[in-house]
C-alpha cells in the first residue's frame, strides 16, 4: 500500500512557493502548506492539516487531520491529529485549538481533546498506559476514538511512522 506509483492531491488545498511533495504521497483536502515545506516520499497528509514555512517531513510520515506543524519543524514521526507539533526534535506541544475553532469544532469537543492531550502527552508513562487512561476516564467521542486509533497505528512501528510498516511487510512476502 505504500507504493502507489503516483502522488495524489486532494481538493481545496493551498500550497505556497517552493513546496516539494515527493513520490507516492497522498495529500487530502483542505491542506495549507507554507513556503518551502519539504515532504518526503510515501507520506500521508490528512485533511485540514496546516504547515508553517520550511518544515521538513521524513518519508513514510502521516500527518493527522486538523493538526498544525510549526515552521522549521523536522518531522520524523507521525503527527497526531488535532495537535500542534513543533521543534527539533518535534514534540507535541498542545491541541490545535485555533485551527479547530476555525473549522467549527465546539468548545466542548476542544475541551475534551485538551483533557486527552494532558493525559497522553504530559504524563511520564508509556503511551499504551496513557491510552488506557483516556479510554477509562473520558467520553469516547469520534475525535477521541480517531486520536487513539492514530496513536495505536504509530505505536505498531519501531520508527514512529505507521506507514513504514507496509514497507517491511512487503519485503517479508
Amino acid at each position: 500500500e505504500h507504493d502507489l506509483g503516483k502522488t495524489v492531491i486532494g481538493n481545496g488545498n493551498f500550497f505556497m512557493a517552493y513546496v516539494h511533495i515527493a513520490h507516492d504521497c497522498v495529500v487530502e483536502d483542505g491542506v495549507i502548506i507554507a513556503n518551502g515545506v519539504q515532504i518526503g516520499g510515501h507520506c500521508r497528509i490528512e485533511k485540514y492539516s496546516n504547515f508553517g514555512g520550511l518544515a521538513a517531513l521524513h518519508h513514510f510520515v502521516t500527518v493527522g487531520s486538523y493538526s498544525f506543524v510549526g515552521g522549521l519543524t523536522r518531522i520524523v514521526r507521525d503527527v497526531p491529529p488535532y495537535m500542534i507539533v513543533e521543534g527539533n526534535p518535534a514534540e507535541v506541544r498542545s491541541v490545535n485549538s485555533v485551527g479547530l475553532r476555525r473549522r467549527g469544532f465546539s468548545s466542548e469537543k476542544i475541551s475534551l481533546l485538551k483533557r486527552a492531550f494532558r493525559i497522553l502527552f504530559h504524563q511520564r508513562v508509556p503511551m499504551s498506559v496513557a491510552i488506557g487512561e483516556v479510554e477509562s476516564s473520558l467520553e469516547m467521542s469520534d475525535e477521541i476514538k480517531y486520536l487513539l486509533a492514530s496513536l495505536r497505528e504509530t505505536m505498531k512501528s519501531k520508527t514512529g511512522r505507521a506507514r513504514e510498516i507496509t514497507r517491511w511487510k512487503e519485503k517479508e512476502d
Side-chain angles (χ1 to χ4, degrees):
E1 196 232 81
H2 81 275
D3 196 8
L4 301 173
K6 62 184 175 182
T7 291
V8 179
I9 306 292
N11 297 309
N13 297 314
F14 183 62
F15 304 157
M16 297 181 198
Y18 307 106
V19 168
H20 175 76
I21 300 170
H23 60 91
D24 300 288
C25 288
V26 174
V27 180
E28 294 181 1
D29 300 338
V31 173
I32 299 172
I33 305 179
N35 295 328
V37 172
Q38 304 293 293
I39 299 174
H42 308 284
C43 289
R44 180 174 203 92
I45 312 302
E46 295 180 347
K47 66 184 179 180
Y48 303 112
S49 53
N50 197 326
F51 295 79
L54 301 172
L57 280 69
H58 192 282
H59 56 276
F60 291 99
V61 163
T62 299
V63 176
S65 296
Y66 304 97
S67 62
F68 180 83
V69 175
L72 297 171
T73 298
R74 176 178 169 248
I75 301 292
V76 297
R77 299 176 51 85
D78 293 345
V79 174
Y82 314 112
M83 299 296 148
I84 293 175
V85 175
E86 63 180 3
N88 184 7
E91 291 182 32
V92 177
R93 303 290 183 175
S94 66
V95 172
N96 185 15
S97 302
V98 171
L100 295 175
R101 264 194 301 280
R102 288 178 181 164
R103 287 277 161 210
F105 282 70
S106 68
S107 55
E108 293 81 18
K109 286 184 179 189
I110 294 170
S111 177
L112 187 60
L113 285 165
K114 285 180 177 180
R115 290 174 59 202
F117 164 79
R118 284 190 290 276
I119 294 168
L120 293 166
F121 301 107
H122 272 273
Q123 299 185 112
R124 301 222 182 265
V125 297
M127 184 57 73
S128 58
V129 172
I131 288 172
E133 187 175 333
V134 168
E135 288 177 321
S136 66
S137 65
L138 297 182
E139 172 194 338
M140 293 304 292
S141 68
D142 290 342
E143 293 79 16
I144 297 297
K145 289 177 188 174
Y146 170 56
L147 173 60
L148 297 183
S150 173
L151 293 170
R152 282 191 175 102
E153 283 301 306
T154 297
M155 288 171 46
K156 290 179 184 178
S157 170
K158 60 186 171 206
T159 64
R161 297 181 294 271
R163 292 179 60 76
E164 201 156 33
I165 294 169
T166 60
R167 177 178 169 188
W168 305 124
K169 284 182 181 173
E170 196 172 89
K171 285 184 178 181
E172 291 171 1
D173 293 341

